[in-house]
Amino acid sequence: MSKAFYFRLALDNLKKNSKMYIPFILSCILTIMMYYMVSSLSMNPNMMEIVGGDTMQQILSFGLYVIAFFAIIFLFYTNSFLIKRRKREFGLFNILGMEKKHLSIVIALESMIVFLVSMVLGIGIGILLDKAFYLLIAKMLNASIALGFYISYQSIVNSIILFFIIFLLMYIFSLIQINLANPVELLHGSQQGEKEPKTKWLLALIGLICLGSGYYMSISIQDAVTAFAFFMIAVLLVIIGTYMLFTSGSIVVLKLLRKNKRYYYKTNHFISVSNMIYRMKQNAVGLGNICILSTMVLVMLSTTISLWVGMNDIIETRFPRDLTVSINCVDPNEALNTIDNMDYAIEQAGIQTDDELVYRTLSVSTINKGNTYTFGNENASLQDISNVVVLYFITLDDYNMTEGTNVHLDSNEVLVFPAGKQFEDKMIDIASNTFKVKGVLDSIKADSNYSANLQNSMFIVVDSMDTLLMIDNLQKQAYGDNASYIHTSYDFNLNKSEEMSIKEAMDALIANYPGDTTYMIVDTKEENYENLLSLYASFLFIGIFLSFLFIMATVLIMYYKQITEGYEDKKRFEIMQKVGLDKREVKKTINSQVLTVFFLPLVVAAIHIVFAFPMIEKMLRLLYLDNTNLYIMTTVICFGVFALVYVLIYFLTSKVYYGIVHNAM
Amino acid sequence: MSLLTVNRLKKVYTTRFSQNQVLALSDVNFSIEKGEYVAIMGESGSGKTTLLNILAALDKPTSGTVLLNGKDITKINEKEICAFRRNHLGFVFQDFNLLDTFSNMDNIFLPLVLSKKKYPEMKLKLEPIARQLGIESILKKYPYEISGGQKQRVAVARALITHPDLILADEPTGALDSKSTEELLRLFSKINENNQTILMVTHSIKAASHAQRVLFIKDGVVFHQIYRGDKSMDEMYQNISDTLTVLATGGARNE
Ligand SMILES: Nc1ncnc2c1ncn2[C@@H]1O[C@H](COP(=O)(O)OP(=O)(O)OP(=O)(O)O)[C@@H](O)[C@H]1O
Ligand SMILES: [Mg+2]
């Protein structure tokens, strides 16, 4: 048999199976295209010249790993599906006298053809679109646009290497699949999975527990830092739970329904329950995939869009003033002079200021039990760690100055700002010093660090600097090297008439400051705006990119699901009609089953999103977005749009299904 | 009155993509009495399956009538046809047509469930039939877990459970080995002794010789028929095989 013969055979095979291969090749092309584009953008030297371009490139190169990882899993999954469907065909070849050796040559040629076509088109389209995306990024970052056309040879080489390896692995996997089976098995390959699935109570239970604990984490965690730490664990639990419930849980429920004779032996229940058991067995993993992918898309889009849209808000809350100076005082006595030093520096630099906010705080981590707050030590147990409350101490003078009030406190009295928590204690005990709570505050201005949002924290206004220093002394004894320093915050706007740019003002300030500048940090709103812009633009960009990839995967999985089910249902419904089920009823049951199976993942994804909400909201706080309404709005809109796309996909792919089943109706 | 009367039945297939017309049945006439056991024979492509499909109301004839219990089933409208099929007819197919998604028991229940019968009633009906067919031990199993002969018995049970007026069987022994064939034929005879009317299409002379009457179809008409009468099974066998030889050599219509 000549080479040309094999080649013709391979081409014929692909044509014969075009219903399955065209979508596969399309998704290969798209995956390669995206990989190339992201890779090329992350290397494009023009990007370095855009302000924030470097952040974007860092995030893109991280995104590249995600795409590569996803491409491997996704292409493998579809390939194994294709091989399973084609086992019968291979078996036939085998029985008709084609050795497995020759079979493997044919499959190798097929893979080659698919690889070459995908590679050429993928990179070709990638190069064309690359420029468009570069322009988009430049626009997002408010940058002027560099001309010229950029082709990254390095990216082309990288793409070829990566996808060659993926295709090679898929090829090896196919060969293993075929070699493991004997011809008779191959012939029946696509009919496997007809066996009734086993009931796996234990797995269903584990799934339920995983899902439950993931959900519980999300709703029970109170502060942003913990939320951040546990987010990945919660996500993992929910993913495991989703798969287990889709695979085992669904079967358990359906079998319970079947056990209930009175429910089961009703015409429509009878057919749908028994069919659903089989559908779930074959599709559970696919449905789980769709559900997880949908959830990821929704979370990614809604968070990145929220951050992008809310960016100006974030800047305003986080940096209400042009300049934010913060000074940590290693020597507590210096804290007494920081404000004077700043005033002096401002005067010397000749800066006109407006709207100053000046105060000093001392933040101490404490372990809270009832109304006592103790300074921890190394012996703190794990249980204590969950009771950590960060106390921010501020003197009455600073408080009165920032708030413009004239409150009076006696030496053992304090004011408390509980930062959103319930607080009803009349006395509090801090490191064995008892204070009388004179009042509970609704708000406090002296929190320009926005700390109250992030941790379990509380502000305590003490009567004098002496008390503050006393507490400082105690915490230094308790924490030693890990003790915190008294922190001075000096925020102000430049006066409108000021000629100096913010950058000049910043430099002049530092140059004229008479004290120790080692622990002095000057932040400008401008600079922060640029940083946030590039960060959030990168998030959004990657978010959209990955969403696109995931949606494509979802479409493909659905499409294959419809094809497989179509062929199997066709036989089933033919038989049912012969036994006396009328066409209308057949149509009705088909519709209801197809709809259930199709929209189950979307419904579960919606539930996931609802439960993820509290956790994500807290994490967004860590990124300084505290506009909950904005986040809710974006999520709802994203879900709406996604659901629309989903319905569209449904109509497109179900056409294939009904086309196949049609003859039976 | 006969249970089934077929009158001037004609069926022409027109394929959608060509003008080719196939005359599958040209003028078929016969009738079946209640309690009769009739076999239909004929060469491949002679129109047996076509005839059976029309009798089962799965297909419409081009012209002619089919009276079952005096009712013309070719005139029943689409809506009632399924119910009619469920209540009056039972089917046994060559390839069993059992659903892998149901246990054997549920496969047998299928027509009853479609007729909205209650579970206790279904169970009551199943017991004697399962005993008679010897399938009690495999009821809980699934079609893919049992042998071909067992599958065919399950299919027979599904056909019998509605107590149909007429059982239609299209080559029911086609996929069975000789032992299973023998069992199934004995079963059919036994069912027939209980006054169940059976119409069976078969290629097997042996199967046909169990029937009380054999119809031969050729060129779209009932070409010939043989009554068993008092003949022994062997005589019947000989008779059928002679007839088939004559048919095959293209003998003119006689007798
Ligand atoms: N759906 C159809 N469309 C067109 N022609 C058909 C169709 N079904 C059957 N025919 C033709 O009608 C004729 C009779 O077919 P039928 O299936 O009834 O034969 P048969 O006697 O059952 O044959 P066999 O013993 O092989 O099962 C054949 O020539 C066949 O090609
Ligand atoms: Mg036939």
Side-chain angles (χ1 to χ4, degrees), chain A residues 83-100:
Chain A
I83 291 299
K84 217 159 86 193
R85 296 265 343 143
R86 292 187 61 196
K87 266 191 179 170
R88 194 188 169 85
E89 177 188 333
F90 294 140
L92 209 58
F93 277 135
N94 202 202
I95 283 173
L96 295 178
M98 191 182 256
E99 285 172 45
K100 279 183 179 165

Side-chain angles (χ1 to χ4, degrees), chain A residues 196 258 261 265 274 580 582, chain B residues 82 86 102 106 119 142 144:
Chain A
E196 170 163 282
R258 196 172 63 180
K261 300 260 187 294
Y265 289 108
S274 61
D582 78 51
Chain B
C82 289
R86 280 199 303 262
F102 288 117
D106 288 346
Y119 177 70
Y142 281 78
Y144 48 79

Side-chain angles (χ1 to χ4, degrees), chain A residues 394-519:
Chain A
I394 175 172
T395 63
L396 182 65
D397 285 348
D398 286 4
Y399 174 76
N400 278 332
M401 191 165 72
T402 51
E403 305 283 333
T405 50
N406 199 6
V407 185
H408 177 78
L409 287 178
D410 282 338
S411 69
N412 62 343
E413 286 180 338
V414 292
L415 296 172
V416 173
F417 170 57
K421 287 182 291 293
Q422 280 293 102
F423 187 87
E424 276 154 4
D425 298 330
K426 291 275 169 283
M427 310 286 284
I428 59 171
D429 180 296
I430 299 166
S432 307
N433 296 288
T434 311
F435 295 95
K436 184 162 168 273
V437 178
K438 192 179 180 197
V440 177
L441 305 169
D442 292 336
S443 68
I444 197 157
K445 284 194 176 135
D447 182 23
S448 65
N449 279 330
Y450 226 50
S451 4
N453 264 332
L454 311 183
Q455 292 151 313
N456 226 342
S457 49
M458 214 157 92
F459 282 72
I460 313 269
V461 182
V462 295
D463 67 311
S464 66
M465 200 63 193
D466 287 345
T467 315
L468 192 77
L469 288 174
M470 184 270 288
I471 290 167
D472 184 43
N473 216 353
L474 287 175
Q475 66 104 8
K476 285 221 162 66
Q477 284 167 19
Y479 291 108
D481 287 345
N482 296 324
S484 41
Y485 305 122
I486 295 177
H487 172 264
T488 305
S489 193
Y490 201 114
D491 307 349
F492 59 91
N493 276 336
L494 288 189
N495 190 294
K496 292 266 183 319
S497 61
E498 178 65 63
E499 307 269 279
M500 225 184 274
S501 76
I502 289 174
K503 179 89 177 70
E504 284 166 346
M506 181 174 121
D507 292 340
L509 253 183
I510 297 174
N512 286 298
Y513 188 75
D516 181 7
T517 54
T518 328
Y519 298 100

Side-chain angles (χ1 to χ4, degrees), chain B residues 17-37:
Chain B
F17 298 111
S18 75
Q19 287 85 345
N20 269 5
Q21 293 203 331
V22 180
L23 180 65
L25 302 173
S26 66
D27 185 11
V28 174
N29 299 283
F30 66 91
S31 62
I32 294 177
E33 302 304 318
K34 191 164 165 43
E36 246 192 318
Y37 181 0

Side-chain angles (χ1 to χ4, degrees), chain B residues 150-171:
Chain B
Q150 289 170 326
K151 277 188 208 175
Q152 199 56 297
R153 273 185 276 162
V154 172
V156 172
R158 182 178 64 188
L160 285 176
I161 199 152
T162 54
H163 298 301
D165 299 329
L166 177 63
I167 285 199
L168 298 169
D170 193 357
E171 295 182 46

Side-chain angles (χ1 to χ4, degrees), chain A residues 30 61 128 143 160 177 236 267 377 402 441 487 513 622 657:
Chain A
L30 286 176
S61 25
L128 291 179
I160 291 178
Q177 283 283 303
L236 219 64
T267 311
N377 48 38
T402 51
L441 305 169
H487 172 264
Y513 188 75
L622 210 56
Y657 173 88

